[in-house]
Amino acid sequence: MNGLSRRRFLVGVGAVGTSGLAGCSGVAGSGSDSGSEEYDVGMTAVAFNPAEITVSAGEEVVWQNTSSRGHTVTAYEDSIPEEAAYFASGGYEDEQTAREEFRNGVNGIIESGSSYSHTFEVPGTYEYVCIPHEQSGMVGTVVVEE
């Protein structure tokens, strides 16, 4: 990896000018409502950040919506390992259902400040998309190593 910690610690998403370091001494992932969240992939206006992440089999990846726009995390069904469980925010079992549910009522959306997580059990490459921002190139990749 590039020397950065796989898991990032976000402090005060959206807070402007007030004690930017408040909460840094808190326990990551403690679930407190202090405005601090732990995540692996942030969702900006039209991008996943980072666009690619590498994890070990059995690890959980947490996506955090760090923008004011609603987003989805939707696996490209044909771009995940054959033996792998399908994943999509909203809990859909396949890509077609995730897309239909989004079109029929904007279902599966991760609102600003909310998160979604998935545990990757099968090694391989997983490609995914944000359905409402797919045309803007909002796609990402999770590489799972043994």
Side-chain angles (χ1 to χ4, degrees), residues 14 19 29 39 45 62 74 77 79 84 86 88 90 99-100 114 123-124 128 133 137:
S19 187
Y39 67 94
V62 177
T74 308
E77 198 163 3
S79 296
Y86 183 78
R99 289 180 180 279
E100 287 173 1
S114 294
Y128 63 93
H133 302 112

Side-chain angles (χ1 to χ4, degrees), residues 72-117:
T72 70
V73 172
T74 308
Y76 281 125
E77 198 163 3
D78 293 336
S79 296
I80 65 174
E82 190 173 312
E83 315 79 41
Y86 183 78
F87 66 98
S89 54
Y92 305 108
E93 294 185 16
D94 58 60
E95 184 178 354
Q96 179 180 346
T97 303
R99 289 180 180 279
E100 287 173 1
E101 288 296 313
F102 177 79
R103 279 193 300 271
N104 293 332
V106 193
N107 296 308
I109 284 289
I110 303 163
E111 298 294 341
S112 180
S114 294
S115 63
Y116 167 77
S117 64

Side-chain angles (χ1 to χ4, degrees), residues 46-48 129-130 133-140:
V46 291
F48 292 106
V129 63
C130 171
H133 302 112
E134 185 172 20
Q135 295 299 315
S136 299
M138 190 169 179
V139 296

Side-chain angles (χ1 to χ4, degrees), residues 16 20 32 38 47 54-56 64 75 80 97 102 114 117 122 133 137 141:
V16 179
S32 70
E38 185 181 302
T54 300
V55 298
S56 297
Q64 174 80 30
I80 65 174
T97 303
F102 177 79
S114 294
S117 64
V122 178
H133 302 112
T141 304

Side-chain angles (χ1 to χ4, degrees), residues 36-57:
S36 298
E37 297 293 330
E38 185 181 302
Y39 67 94
D40 300 298
V41 180
M43 293 178 262
T44 65
V46 291
F48 292 106
N49 183 24
E52 182 173 309
I53 186 170
T54 300
V55 298
S56 297

Side-chain angles (χ1 to χ4, degrees), residues 57 81 83 120-126 144-146:
E83 315 79 41
F120 292 86
E121 301 292 344
V122 178
T125 300
Y126 297 72
V144 180
E145 299 176 335
E146 291 196 44

